[in-house]
């Protein structure tokens, strides 16, 4: 899994190509962007911590087969 974060958005992708595309869009928007490869277990922890500490943050999981 690939996590991309910048501005008020954190997105997780199932494939590197989509994550790279999102990273480029965010850089083009002049945002400070971080990208990381994470495991499913790490994502569960990261998402829970983000929801608890940054309630205004937009968290998007665009992996195929994930219920939204």
């Amino acid at each position: 899994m690939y996590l991309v974060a910048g501005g008020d958005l954190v997105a997780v992708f199932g494939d590197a190509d989509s994550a790279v595309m999102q990273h480029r869009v965010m850089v083009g928007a002049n945002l400070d962007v971080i990208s990381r490869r994470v495991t499913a277990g790490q994502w569960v922890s990261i998402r829970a911590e983000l929801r608890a500490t940054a309630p205004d943050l937009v968290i998007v999981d665009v992996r195929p087969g994930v219920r939204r």
Side-chain angles (χ1 to χ4, degrees), residues 8-68:
D8 64 352
L9 174 68
V10 175
V12 66
F13 299 88
D15 66 282
D17 291 339
S18 296
V20 167
M21 187 180 308
Q22 182 65 40
H23 185 275
R24 288 180 180 162
V25 167
M26 292 173 132
V27 168
N30 203 30
L31 298 173
D32 286 331
V33 183
I34 64 161
S35 296
R36 300 283 187 270
R37 187 163 184 185
V38 297
T39 66
Q42 288 172 317
W43 174 237
V44 170
S45 296
I46 291 166
R47 184 179 56 213
E49 184 175 341
L50 289 172
R51 284 186 175 160
T53 60
D56 294 332
L57 196 62
V58 177
I59 301 171
V60 181
D61 190 333
V62 293
R63 292 176 293 153
V66 174
R67 288 184 59 168
R68 285 155 185 75

